[in-house]
Amino acid sequence: MNTQLTDDEVGILLAAAVHAPSLHNTQPWRFEVQGLAVDVLLDEERKLPLEDPSGRAVHIAVGAAVFNIQVAAAILGHETQVAVQPDPVRPEVTARVFLADRKAPVPGLSGLYGEIAERHTYRGPLLDHKIHPSVRRELDEAARAEGADLHWLTSTARLGVLLGRTDDADLLDEDRRAERKAWIGGDRASDGVPENVLGPQPVRPAFVRDLSAGFDSPHRSQAVFEPEPSIVVLTTHDEDTTAWVRAGIALQHMLLVAASYDLAASFLDQLLERPGPRSQIRDLVGGRAWPQLVIRIGYPAQSNGHTGRRDWHTSFDRWF
Ligand SMILES: Cc1cc2nc3c(=O)[nH]c(=O)nc-3n(C[C@H](O)[C@H](O)[C@H](O)COP(=O)(O)O)c2cc1C
């Protein structure tokens, strides 16, 4: 029986983990490996105190990294189990992925491995193609398998009004703009969102977040976006650290399934970053569950660049 992960296995697991999405590509994680367990820790220095004051977004990013580890473990033949905040003495250990002894590639999850590097956030216009109900059902099941739910909006009218107000408020908020500017635009190789990944500048109204709104991004073209995209809200029953990590696991599960159908997604996190708009989104999806992500999803009409990642070695410690 194996009691240690090999160096090659650690490399495959962590190279997969760092492909996870994170708000502004901050990559707020560190990793430790001990025996057959991989710990994902929150990197406090990579938090965004103004746009993510509660820590919801960083925990979602950790959850997404956890799911990538589970998928990579599946292809290596390990079943996995996840514990959130497993160590009361070290609360910074946000999640622990336990790997069972190696057998054979785990069906289901291992089929998503190829999508880990293919999935990218897409901020350009979408084609006018509907998502087939059977594909939507698969996305629903992916989120539900991880304890979250997807609410597909039947009308985007109320969301559009709210988005207009939130975007206006954001433009006037110099502190939030300054926080964003540290991560967005220009040339960036290993973290943040470079200009060539921002997509075209949307002609408002548009159901896409222009991450560089309020500061110069001189090389971008303008585009009119689709008036009625598919918008889905990912919710959890609870609202705490565990729920946020579970939301991240569910997000990444549904995004990898979406990528397998050539669907692309982007996020409207500005709607959830302040309590007022967030409670309105909560009402929009029935008033009971907690909205954790607002996702625009569909078939991309063009391509955009890809964000970089820090080498996983820079955020890794092996304990034994
Ligand atoms: C919790 C969370 C919130 C995000 N919010 C936004 C957003 O509001 N707008 C946006 O364009 N991208 C958003 N993103 C996507 C990140 O910018 C993206 O994941 C990151 O730049 C890495 O790029 P990739 O997803 O293409 O790998 C969000 C991601 C996460 C995990």
Side-chain angles (χ1 to χ4, degrees), residues 4-310:
Q4 296 277 343
L5 293 170
T6 65
D7 287 348
D8 283 351
E9 285 185 310
V10 170
I12 289 169
L13 296 170
L14 299 190
V18 300
H19 275 294
S22 56
L23 181 59
H24 303 346
N25 197 22
T26 50
Q27 303 163 44
W29 43 63
R30 295 194 55 76
F31 305 100
E32 291 177 359
V33 171
Q34 196 175 154
L36 285 176
V38 180
D39 284 352
V40 188
L41 290 78
L42 230 162
D43 186 340
E44 296 287 332
E45 289 177 13
R46 290 179 165 263
K47 281 173 132 177
L48 297 166
L50 297 178
E51 288 179 289
D52 183 28
S54 64
R56 175 186 52 85
V58 280
H59 285 92
I60 288 174
V62 164
V66 162
F67 187 71
N68 280 2
I69 293 172
Q70 292 187 274
V71 171
I75 206 134
L76 292 171
H78 297 278
E79 304 261 6
T80 49
Q81 281 196 346
V82 177
V84 178
Q85 289 194 314
D87 188 346
V89 181
R90 297 188 67 215
E92 69 276 18
V93 178
T94 304
R96 177 165 295 158
V97 188
F98 296 97
L99 284 79
D101 200 18
R102 186 153 17 114
K103 294 198 178 83
V106 182
L109 282 196
S110 59
L112 294 174
Y113 182 73
E115 306 303 335
I116 288 177
E118 293 301 313
R119 181 216 58 84
H120 302 287
T121 303
Y122 170 73
R123 301 183 183 83
L126 297 171
L127 295 172
D128 184 21
H129 294 174
K130 293 274 169 269
I131 305 172
H132 196 275
S134 65
V135 175
R136 279 173 48 156
R137 267 197 303 279
E138 262 194 64
L139 299 175
D140 291 341
E141 281 161 18
R144 209 169 300 131
E146 313 300 344
D149 287 298
L150 297 184
H151 300 254
W152 297 83
L153 297 193
T154 47
S155 157
T156 50
R158 268 178 73 190
L159 190 90
V161 173
L162 190 56
L163 199 55
R165 283 204 212 118
T166 320
D167 283 344
D168 287 344
D170 244 8
L171 275 175
L172 295 173
D173 191 325
E174 278 182 33
D175 294 336
R176 279 168 59 97
R177 226 167 50 217
E179 184 177 85
R180 229 171 11 257
K181 203 165 180 178
W183 294 96
I184 308 293
D187 287 332
R188 294 166 194 270
S190 59
D191 57 11
V193 185
E195 184 167 314
N196 70 330
V197 184
L198 292 174
Q201 217 164 13
V203 176
R204 289 179 68 185
F207 291 91
V208 67
R209 185 179 192 178
D210 180 4
L211 286 173
S212 75
F215 43 94
D216 281 345
S217 45
H219 307 297
R220 291 164 72 205
S221 56
Q222 281 207 330
V224 175
F225 279 59
E226 68 288 339
E228 286 269 341
S230 291
I231 303 274
V232 63
V233 182
L234 187 149
T235 66
T236 52
H237 183 266
D238 297 318
E239 169 72 344
D240 54 22
T241 309
T242 304
W244 294 331
V245 174
R246 294 279 166 204
I249 295 174
L251 170 72
Q252 189 64 1
H253 196 159
M254 68 121 345
L255 289 179
L256 294 186
V257 173
S260 74
Y261 287 100
D262 298 326
L263 284 164
S266 67
F267 308 84
L268 298 166
D269 207 59
Q270 69 271 46
L271 292 168
L272 304 179
E273 291 170 0
R274 293 190 181 90
R278 190 168 183 221
S279 79
Q280 294 201 39
I281 298 291
R282 196 172 182 211
D283 286 347
L284 209 57
V285 294
R288 294 158 77 98
W290 289 95
Q292 306 297 358
L293 291 133
V294 182
I295 304 163
R296 163 187 169 264
I297 184 162
Y299 297 94
Q302 35 181 264
S303 58
N304 62 222
H306 299 158
T307 49
R309 292 294 187 273
R310 293 176 297 146

